[in-house]
Amino acid sequence: MTFGESDLFRERRRGRAVVAGVCLVLGLGLIGGAVAGSWIAGEHGDGGPQGFAAAVPAWHSVPIDQLFPPVVRGAGDGPGGADRTWTRVAVAPDSGCADAFDPLLEKVLAGVGCRRLLRATYTDATQSYVTTVGLLFTRADPAAMSALATRFRTQHLAERPDLMPRPYAAENTLAAGFGDDQRATWTISVRTDTPVVVYAVSGWADGRGVDTPQPAADAVRSGATTPQAQSGLGNEARGLSEQIERRLRQTVGESATKRPS
């Protein structure tokens, strides 16, 4: 049996259609995987209007122990991939942002507004370091958060010592002496999938002053020899900040996917 020209044309067209269909399925799979991967990996992608809106009421609707657990464990968050455990020593009353930031940082953040500020201070397992981690819930929309994130990235604002966050020092705790002069290293993360700025600032628990603070991103680089790097303080700020940010993202994700009963 032989094919005529019309039969051969139909077979070729059917073959091309099958190939195109396979490519479409593979393409959709890759796109879906990339979107899911961005959430799993914690990339600052667009969580969509539903996810963005779900974060707005989190400051008063989520138990504080869920946002700032009494104990936080960070697998591989220490120097050389060592595990870390942090114990909460103080939780600040939820508040506005008055006097919470140095004047210049307050000015930079003014564009996104301050809905509420949540803060907690932790110490490491050896009680050698103290770290304040904060969640600034802004009044901004996705476009404003993206603009702020772009500004931080392009102008390297997270690396400037004059834009360090302030610590929360609670009386009668290990962090009682953790003041502005004790700030040694810090990190600031402007989220674009939620209206939240996450930050952490670390220092020594013995209250020693610091003449030259260093961004956590620099302190954790291979070969860094500063006191912050050699002591692991950079890992304290970065690791705890990432753990709290991960919990926030998980909480918001769960809220966004809930369906009315």
Side-chain angles (χ1 to χ4, degrees), residues 74-93:
D77 283 336
D83 294 342
R84 274 289 185 264
T85 300
W86 297 280
T87 301
R88 194 181 68 198
V89 298
V91 176

Side-chain angles (χ1 to χ4, degrees), residues 1 14 25-26 54-55 80 100 102 125 129 133 145 162 187 198 202 220 226 239 252 258:
M1 180 177 180
R14 188 180 300 116
V25 172
L26 289 175
D102 285 348
Y129 317 116
V133 59
M145 292 302 294
D162 56 351
T187 181
V198 185
S202 296
V220 300
T226 61
V252 171
K258 283 182 180 178

Side-chain angles (χ1 to χ4, degrees), residues 1-253:
M1 180 177 180
T2 59
F3 286 109
E5 290 185 0
S6 59
D7 295 323
L8 183 59
F9 176 76
R10 283 194 296 270
E11 286 299 315
R12 287 177 176 172
R13 185 170 58 183
R14 188 180 300 116
R16 285 195 295 268
V18 170
V19 171
V22 171
C23 290
L24 177 62
V25 172
L26 289 175
L28 291 175
L30 290 172
I31 293 172
V35 172
S38 69
W39 280 96
I40 293 171
E43 295 173 2
H44 291 216
D46 182 2
Q50 189 176 15
F52 196 91
V56 174
W59 70 266
H60 63 78
S61 62
V62 178
I64 198 67
D65 283 353
Q66 187 170 337
L67 292 175
F68 299 125
V71 176
V72 177
R73 292 180 174 83
D77 283 336
D83 294 342
R84 274 289 185 264
T85 300
W86 297 280
T87 301
R88 194 181 68 198
V89 298
V91 176
D94 62 84
S95 66
C97 292
D99 301 322
F101 302 107
D102 285 348
L104 190 55
L105 179 56
E106 183 178 8
K107 183 178 180 180
V108 169
L109 297 174
V112 293
C114 175
R115 186 182 300 274
R116 215 64 178 171
L117 177 63
L118 305 182
R119 294 170 292 170
T121 299
Y122 288 80
T123 186
D124 68 304
T126 67
Q127 297 189 345
S128 299
Y129 317 116
V130 283
T131 301
T132 292
V133 59
L135 298 174
L136 167 59
F137 288 80
T138 75
R139 297 183 179 276
D141 59 14
M145 292 302 294
S146 293
L148 181 63
T150 298
R151 184 181 178 190
F152 262 80
R153 184 179 66 254
T154 58
Q155 299 180 16
H156 308 287
L157 300 186
E159 303 169 13
R160 289 177 47 168
D162 56 351
L163 295 176
M164 270 194 303
R166 283 178 173 167
Y168 174 65
E171 295 182 0
N172 302 316
T173 71
L174 193 67
F178 189 23
D180 289 352
D181 292 338
Q182 284 68 44
R183 294 177 290 184
T185 186
W186 77 98
T187 181
I188 303 177
S189 172
V190 180
R191 300 293 306 178
T192 57
D193 53 358
T194 58
V196 179
V197 177
V198 185
Y199 67 85
V201 55
S202 296
W204 280 274
D206 60 10
R208 74 183 74 172
V210 179
D211 294 329
T212 308
Q214 182 182 35
D218 292 340
V220 300
R221 286 200 176 105
S222 177
T225 59
T226 61
Q228 292 91 329
Q230 293 183 338
S231 65
L233 263 178
N235 297 85
E236 296 293 306
R238 186 183 70 170
L240 186 55
S241 174
E242 289 179 351
Q243 290 296 331
I244 297 301
E245 186 173 324
R246 188 173 294 116
R247 295 188 69 88
L248 172 68
R249 189 173 63 252
Q250 180 181 359
T251 298
V252 171

